[in-house]
Amino acid sequence: MRTPSEPAYPAHWEADVVLRDGGTARVRPITPDDAERLVSFYEQVSDQSKYYRFFAPYPRLSDRDVRRFTHHDYVDRVGLAAIVGDEFIATVRYDRIDATGRPASLPADEAEVAFLVRDDHQGRGVGSALLEHIAACARERGVRRFVAEVLPANTKMVKVFTDAGYSQKRSFEDGAVHLTFGITPTEQSLAVMRAREQRAEARSVQRLLSPGAVAVIGASRNPGGAGRTVLESLRTAGFTGRVHAVNRALEAGRTEIDSVPAHRSVRDVPGSVDLAVVAVPAREVPGVVDECGERGVQGLVVLSADFGRDAQRELVRQARSYGMRIIGPNAFGLINTAPDVRLNATLSPETPERGRIGLFTQSGAIGIAVLAGLHRRGRGAGGVSTFVSAGNRADVSGNDVLQYWDDDPDTDVVLMYLESFGNPRKFNRLARRTAARKPIVVVKGARHNASAPPPGHAVPAGRTPDATVSSLLRQAGVIRVDTVTELVDAGVLLATQPLPAGPRVGILGNAESLCLLTYDACLARGLRPQPVTDLTTEAGPEDFRRALAATLADPATDAVVVTAIPWVDGSHGPGDATLLAEALSRGLREPAGGEGGGEGGDRDGDR
């Protein structure tokens, strides 16, 4: 029990952060119980880094130092540590000072700040992340400005401060760089923070999607089961990296499962392991996470289900403590069709064709349905770049994957099936940025279900009115559709049809009523439809071809919508749809003002 003289531990300052290389660390206040961790941390820091921190040779911490750096009042003196596993990898502290630089209390609103980062973790963005967190703690305690003394040779730390986006004053005093800067968030500092967040979260997803080695933990010795299915999926897709099977009940002397090297523990796998697919009963998952963390695995796909919410939170905390990220639990898996990866770590042995569509779903069943729908659309039309089915999305969410797709050169269109929004404000911000360059199409599942979510879901089922969800998506520039079929149709259209240059739409067809419905639909969505061209029911494929070519040649047209009803008199034969498609294709290729089927003409590539 805390005594009256002990300051209250600010548990709300604890946080998980994603670092520049995609790994994670835990940030929390330093406590008196951290004395041994602090000493061990300091012993692993180089003499040069110690010199940069204290401006003098400082080989070891005295008992007095240890007490000073582990005992804080969390108001005037605050220390935070970044932790991976059970080890400190970096520390930061502030001490409130007065105008003369002496220790002070409120109402003094200035504090001196100092960092120390273990050499083997420098360059991962730890200092920048700690600066963001210590600044937030300081603002909460009434601090408005930080001051820092940095040796000129310590260029990395100077860069951390100067790149933070705060307005600062700099001077050179007594052989050191003296920095003073306000820590109230500015537009520039927020932009810096979000850019750091985007790079880190995108990198963390990229590591999951592009592993060099995958271990399938829980791969059955006999055909059948989730683990064995994933093993087959990886082999069938032609994964370019190394694959290992792990089964703790592997018989002595057995070295393979389904022609894949097999081991009793992930600890026995030779070489590095980047991704582990976990397909064991839920009660065994925590032990597997510990083994993977100690082995240095970078990320986990947890197929296992039956996690309660508390167990799920503990699972994420456990994985994050080792610097790992989790897809799942209750996940369906990951796909990356890039030729240099060819990853299919899912429960579906069929890998989709390579294409420009990125797909995210929470539900594995919906993921299967969308992939099947894309596959039916034909070669190239429904190709996928990457696919993530996150299950309960206890850790990696649609927001994380959006960060990855935002600057992924292999993804042009984003399709998402979402059952809930864990962080609607962040989704709005990310979607708005991405949708300005890449179309995002969303199906919102469970629209009218106000009951509790399935056990273990990280975010409770929302009771947000459907109109509010629609408004959120509209403000973000997201295209909302109502069904999985519409999601597939929109995705294929956007992936294969270039964006029009403007809002002017030409409309033609062989039924005036359909043309007028299309005209009204364009008006309702803010487009500028041109007068319709009614070809009448007597029009044949060649009439459609000539009308399309003429409409495309019109400089007042940015896009064309063709409507058609089937011929009922059989005059064009049973293949009339094919004949019409071929005629329209010729109409697209004709040069402006031309008659006939010339191959010239990319002039309509934006229509």
Side-chain angles (χ1 to χ4, degrees), residues 261-517:
H263 316 270
R264 300 192 67 179
S265 169
V266 70
R267 295 190 182 101
D268 302 328
V269 176
S272 61
V273 177
D274 303 306
L275 180 70
V277 180
V278 182
V280 301
R283 65 181 181 277
E284 298 178 16
V285 172
V288 169
V289 172
D290 279 334
E291 289 187 8
C292 290
E294 293 165 2
R295 182 64 179 74
V297 175
Q298 294 182 351
L300 306 172
V301 176
V302 180
L303 308 182
S304 317
D306 301 322
F307 281 83
R309 196 172 299 162
D310 290 341
Q312 189 166 274
R313 289 194 185 106
E314 177 59 25
L315 180 68
V316 174
R317 185 209 62 77
Q318 182 186 10
R320 288 289 189 96
S321 73
Y322 290 108
M324 298 185 294
R325 300 212 68 182
I326 288 181
I327 299 284
N330 196 26
F332 184 71
L334 304 171
I335 291 175
N336 183 352
T337 61
D340 58 341
V341 180
R342 298 202 298 272
L343 173 74
N344 182 356
T346 73
L347 295 169
S348 173
E350 186 173 291
T351 302
E353 293 183 5
R354 176 156 175 76
R356 312 293 298 178
I357 296 174
L359 174 60
F360 174 88
T361 70
Q362 292 174 225
S363 162
I366 296 296
I368 294 172
V370 177
L371 288 173
L374 291 171
H375 180 72
R376 286 195 298 270
R377 293 307 189 273
R379 190 169 189 83
V384 171
S385 61
T386 44
F387 164 65
V388 177
S389 178
N392 293 358
R393 58 181 177 77
D395 180 17
V396 173
S397 69
N399 285 347
D400 294 288
V401 185
L402 265 181
Q403 297 275 42
Y404 170 74
W405 281 328
D406 181 68
D407 59 2
D408 175 32
D410 294 330
T411 300
D412 292 336
V413 179
V414 171
L415 306 184
M416 306 184 81
Y417 172 83
L418 302 174
E419 295 172 4
S420 58
F421 295 93
N423 188 337
R425 183 173 297 177
K426 183 174 181 179
F427 175 84
N428 182 282
R429 171 169 56 85
L430 301 183
R432 186 189 299 269
R433 182 187 66 204
T434 301
R437 296 181 294 108
K438 302 179 181 183
I440 301 175
V441 188
V442 169
V443 170
K444 174 62 173 67
R447 292 170 59 176
H448 305 294
N449 180 14
S451 61
H457 268 245
V459 179
R463 300 177 184 270
T464 306
D466 191 59
T468 303
V469 173
S470 294
S471 178
L472 167 71
L473 297 177
R474 185 170 57 254
Q475 291 172 11
V478 170
I479 302 168
R480 180 176 183 177
V481 295
D482 294 325
T483 68
V484 168
T485 300
E486 291 178 351
L487 184 72
V488 172
D489 289 342
V492 171
L493 174 66
L494 292 167
T496 57
Q497 176 63 52
L499 293 176
R504 301 167 302 178
V505 180
I507 301 169
L508 63 91
N510 61 353
E512 185 180 24
S513 58
L514 284 180
C515 290
L516 293 176
L517 284 173

Side-chain angles (χ1 to χ4, degrees), residues 203-217:
R203 174 59 179 157
S204 73
V205 173
Q206 191 272 336
R207 293 204 313 178
L208 293 166
L209 287 167
S210 303
V214 177
V216 181
I217 302 175

Side-chain angles (χ1 to χ4, degrees), residues 528-548:
R528 290 165 51 190
Q530 307 301 300
V532 302
T533 300
D534 179 17
L535 302 177
T536 78
T537 56
E538 301 297 322
E542 285 302 303
D543 298 309
F544 274 89
R545 177 190 63 76
R546 285 190 291 269
L548 177 61

